[in-house]
Amino acid sequence: MQPASYHLENTWSPDGGPNGRLTFTLVNLSDAPLTDFRLVYTSLTRVIDPKACDNAVFLRRNANFHEFTPPAGLSLVSGESWTFSVSGLNRTAKHCTDGAKSAYLTLSDGSHVSVSVSDLLLEGRVSAPPPVLLPEGKLDLPFAIQPWPATIDAWPGEGFPVVLYPVKGTDGSSLKAVATAQALFHRLFPANHAPFSLIAAPQGRRLRFVERPALAREAYELTFSADEIALAYSADAGRLYGLTTLAQLLDGTRREPGKFRFPVAGTISDQPRYGWRGCHLDVSRQFHPKENVKRLIDILAWLKLNIFHWHLTDDEAWRLEIKAYPQLTSTGVLRGPDEPLLPQLGNGAEPVDGFYSHADVREIVAHALALGVEVVPEIDIPGHSTAALVALPDLADGQEAPESYHSVQGYPNNALNPAVEPTYEFLGKVFDEMVELFPSDYIHIGGDEVANGSWLASPQARKLMEREGISGTFALQSYFLKRVKTMLTARGRKLAGWNEVAHGGGVSTEGTLLMAWEKPEVGIELAREGYDVVMTPGQAYYLDMVQAEAWQEPGASWAGTVPPAHTYAYEAEGEFPEELKDRMKGVQACIWQENFLSRDYFNRLVFPRLPAIAEAAWTPKAGKDWERFAAIVRLSPAL
């Protein structure tokens, strides 16, 4: 790959404004002079005061998109540079990913040229090596199981079987379960020795399946002896989890025989701590192809997580094909300099798109179902709807003043208007297609981060408030979400949403599941109001958060610094009163992708914190051990 002809350096310094100053230097590395151009960069550290700009003219901003032009007459010959600075920032920069994520030039003929971008430098911060986030760990029992089982009373042998194989006469469904576990292992570890065989093998060990109806659906029990292993279960889920544990044990022993061993006797009795053990993935900010999504689901199954929460729409793109509205996945996914949606968060001169067809969704849902993973889809409404409104502009109140409100991410007028009646026809058709694609009882409707002040400049919204006797943004949101819940109920689905669904009067608590993300205390408040709750606080379970204070650590920092040890130690039940604990249905990791510009960034931020959350979801509090976890987690697969 040839180096870019233009390069952008960026530095943050603490002086120059309440949140410091960003200084940019554009270097012309081409052979020709550069004149009459505009510079665009994308950054989560946004300019909110257009006048606080030195040696450049601020032209426009849309969320994270910023456009500038140099002083009149500026010409850069090869090797020369242009430096300008901006203050009036929305926040203080703290980490290397707080600067420009992408950039391009628009030339005088209207063409666009990519600009390479360096990581942000932070003035006054020492570029020390990143801290060690994961200790070597230590083991009391040399077994490679993750998440750690509820009860283990087994002891290690000196050797290990080559493979495990079903005893003669094993029923067909158990043989299929072995094949499923084997295929999962092959996909995750294609170069490793397979743990199972469907036929008897020399130096192997027999595996006997025992159906035991008294066990819970996701429970299993393993009994080890020198000649045979018995796997007891009552349902497909428990059987597959037992096979996964056996695969982990054998794989760990084979990969690190001096550290891990295989049980020769004793029992493992296991079942999950929580029923909802989830992982969320935002594919709106950064698109993941179908095979990536399937691999993530494989990893969830390996970690005994049972919910894949698929965040399919946001301001940046609408990723789910809706045949009734093809514009959503043509206009509503295309970002680029001359496209309906402007570049955001890592996009440059080249247009980007990407969506999931009905066929893609069916394939992914079937893949997950075979592994005991439920796919819960999310379309984020009424806020976070820029892509939908760009694709379907008739859903806006045409008399509403432009830029009458902005979301916390900086998007103007980005929420579906509760007073525009065609909105409900639109959502009805969307839900009709979703219930055909997703068998989950739940459809997640977002409901988060509607800016206070939304719709108040809309004549239609003002008429609606007068007619309904309500006032304010959140009363309008409650009106909207109550209608949405009625629509879902009519289609046999339950409503899931973020904790702000409860604002302004909320919705009926019956058949509603809310996710507490803003802070842990919110979960207790929701439970007091009668909602079922999944705990996913940013301060522990948001995997886009930075893991250390060091400036070169990638990630967001609004919820603080979240090292793996903190994620592991966090107890989601927290201060839940005893009488409210039955309202807490489980825990969930959230993968928001503003900072995930590469697979390396993804893996650095998600692992080992995703396995840490998996253990918190499965293992009883008394059974958790950070040193043991650290010793085992290095065996975990990555994306």
Side-chain angles (χ1 to χ4, degrees):
M1 179 182 293
Q2 293 293 320
S5 296
Y6 307 99
H7 187 82
L8 187 69
E9 297 281 353
N10 57 142
T11 303
W12 179 87
S13 57
D15 59 347
N19 290 318
R21 180 180 73 246
L22 287 170
T23 299
F24 296 91
T25 298
L26 176 69
V27 183
N28 181 8
L29 300 175
S30 73
D31 295 330
L34 177 63
T35 59
D36 192 14
F37 64 92
R38 302 193 302 275
L39 170 68
V40 167
Y41 70 82
T42 68
S43 173
L44 286 165
T45 304
R46 298 189 297 274
V47 177
I48 56 175
D49 181 1
K51 296 178 182 179
C53 183
D54 182 50
N55 202 34
V57 178
F58 178 92
L59 296 179
R60 57 175 173 158
R61 179 177 69 81
N62 180 278
N64 309 292
F65 169 100
H66 300 75
E67 187 173 35
F68 296 85
T69 188
L74 180 75
S75 177
L76 302 178
V77 301
S78 180
E80 286 189 336
S81 61
W82 162 51
T83 297
F84 69 98
S85 63
V86 292
S87 49
L89 306 175
N90 70 319
R91 63 176 189 172
T92 299
K94 297 179 179 179
H95 297 275
C96 62
T97 45
D98 286 338
K101 295 187 179 300
S102 60
Y104 66 89
L105 299 178
T106 299
L107 305 180
S108 58
D109 62 359
S111 63
H112 309 287
V113 183
S114 295
V115 174
S116 64
V117 180
S118 293
D119 276 350
L120 180 69
L121 300 176
L122 299 182
E123 186 178 300
R125 296 290 296 274
V126 176
S127 179
V132 175
L133 298 172
L134 194 67
E136 285 297 318
K138 60 182 179 181
L139 296 165
D140 292 329
L141 287 172
F143 299 136
I145 309 172
Q146 205 152 62
W148 196 251
T151 305
I152 182 166
D153 183 19
W155 48 97
E158 291 303 320
F160 55 89
V162 172
V163 291
L164 309 176
Y165 61 89
V167 299
K168 187 176 181 179
T170 296
D171 64 282
S173 64
S174 292
L175 291 176
K176 288 180 181 178
V178 173
T180 297
Q182 183 87 310
L184 172 64
F185 183 87
H186 272 307
R187 292 193 299 270
L188 291 175
F189 307 102
N192 293 11
H193 192 287
F196 302 111
S197 171
L198 291 178
I199 61 172
Q203 300 176 307
R205 191 165 301 170
R206 295 192 305 270
L207 177 59
R208 183 180 302 277
F209 292 90
V210 180
E211 192 166 359
R212 190 176 297 164
L215 289 174
R217 189 182 68 85
E218 294 186 299
Y220 66 91
E221 184 176 284
L222 296 169
T223 304
F224 297 89
S225 70
D227 301 320
E228 183 177 279
I229 300 167
L231 194 169
Y233 67 97
S234 69
D236 291 347
R239 179 171 52 194
L240 186 58
Y241 290 147
L243 289 167
T244 302
T245 293
L246 290 172
Q248 291 176 348
L249 281 165
L250 193 50
D251 182 58
T253 303
R254 193 181 302 279
R255 286 163 67 179
E256 297 190 44
K259 184 176 181 179
F260 300 109
R261 292 159 72 186
F262 195 81
V264 70
T267 60
I268 296 173
S269 299
D270 202 10
Q271 64 180 22
R273 183 179 183 184
Y274 298 119
W276 187 288
R277 305 181 305 282
C279 178
H280 150 290
L281 179 67
D282 157 30
V283 294
S284 180
R285 276 59 178 253
Q286 314 294 344
F287 181 71
H288 274 277
K290 176 180 63 177
E291 294 306 318
N292 279 22
V293 176
K294 289 166 67 177
R295 181 169 176 87
L296 179 61
I297 290 170
D298 283 344
I299 294 169
L300 304 190
W302 185 251
L303 297 172
K304 301 186 178 76
L305 293 165
N306 66 345
I307 300 291
F308 174 53
H309 172 178
W310 202 3
H311 185 89
L312 288 159
T313 75
D314 215 297
D315 290 303
E316 287 81 358
W318 180 290
R319 303 292 191 190
L320 175 64
E321 179 188 24
I322 300 296
K323 292 186 181 296
Y325 298 98
Q327 311 96 300
L328 290 169
T329 46
S330 55
T331 303
V333 299
L334 196 53
R335 297 200 298 256
D338 300 314
E339 305 302 340
L341 295 167
L342 290 172
Q344 300 287 346
L345 301 174
N347 309 141
E350 296 298 320
V352 295
D353 58 8
F355 68 93
Y356 304 97
S357 68
H358 280 203
D360 292 334
V361 170
R362 290 191 177 97
E363 182 179 336
I364 289 168
V365 169
H367 182 86
L369 184 63
L371 297 171
V373 177
E374 177 182 341
V375 179
V376 176
E378 179 186 354
I379 58 162
D380 202 347
I381 55 174
H384 290 278
S385 292
T386 296
L389 288 166
V390 168
L392 301 170
D394 288 347
L395 296 183
D397 180 352
Q399 296 182 329
E400 184 178 32
E403 304 213 19
S404 57
Y405 63 91
H406 288 81
S407 74
V408 67
Q409 287 84 13
Y411 285 93
N413 294 32
N414 75 325
L416 296 177
N417 192 322
V420 176
E421 198 61 28
T423 296
Y424 302 99
E425 178 186 355
F426 158 67
L427 291 175
K429 292 180 179 179
V430 169
F431 292 147
D432 285 342
E433 295 192 27
M434 291 181 74
V435 298
E436 292 297 319
L437 293 170
F438 298 98
S440 172
D441 287 341
Y442 287 99
I443 289 180
H444 198 294
I445 51 76
D448 62 313
E449 295 186 326
V450 172
N452 194 4
S454 297
W455 311 308
L456 301 187
S458 159
Q460 292 187 46
R462 289 199 297 269
K463 289 179 182 177
L464 174 63
M465 287 189 285
E466 182 178 355
R467 187 176 75 242
E468 295 292 326
I470 58 177
S471 63
T473 293
F474 300 118
L476 282 169
Q477 175 179 293
S478 176
Y479 168 88
F480 172 86
L481 292 176
K482 285 173 181 175
R483 289 189 63 174
V484 167
K485 182 172 174 63
T486 298
M487 296 166 71
L488 292 177
T489 301
R491 290 162 174 81
R493 294 296 189 268
K494 299 175 182 178
L495 183 149
W498 303 107
N499 54 246
E500 296 97 318
V501 167
H503 288 180
V507 300
S508 167
T509 59
E510 184 178 353
T512 299
L513 179 73
L514 299 186
M515 296 181 175
W517 69 273
E518 289 182 282
K519 55 185 178 179
E521 297 82 358
V522 168
I524 300 172
E525 296 167 10
L526 293 173
R528 289 192 195 283
E529 293 175 32
Y531 291 104
D532 287 342
V533 179
V534 169
M535 294 295 288
T536 179
Q539 295 77 7
Y541 287 171
Y542 268 36
L543 302 187
D544 58 321
M545 292 296 122
V546 292
Q547 300 179 84
E549 294 290 338
W551 72 264
Q552 71 269 41
E553 282 293 318
S557 55
W558 65 262
T561 301
V562 186
H566 173 69
T567 296
Y568 186 83
Y570 175 71
E571 273 295 307
E573 289 185 12
E575 302 300 319
F576 267 75
E578 196 63 38
E579 68 273 14
L580 295 179
K581 286 186 177 178
D582 65 331
R583 291 284 181 196
M584 189 196 143
K585 300 306 179 182
V587 300
Q588 179 170 290
C590 284
I591 303 174
W592 299 101
Q593 294 214 86
E594 287 91 338
N595 289 294
F596 288 41
L597 302 187
S598 70
R599 186 172 294 201
D600 284 345
Y601 267 157
F602 185 101
N603 286 330
R604 180 171 172 177
L605 284 157
V606 170
F607 303 100
R609 292 186 295 181
L610 179 59
I613 296 168
E615 191 142 304
W618 185 279
T619 308
K621 179 181 179 181
K624 292 169 65 177
D625 184 313
W626 167 245
E627 290 287 338
R628 183 198 63 226
F629 170 85
I632 301 172
V633 74
R634 301 169 201 278
L635 299 174
S636 291
L639 193 68

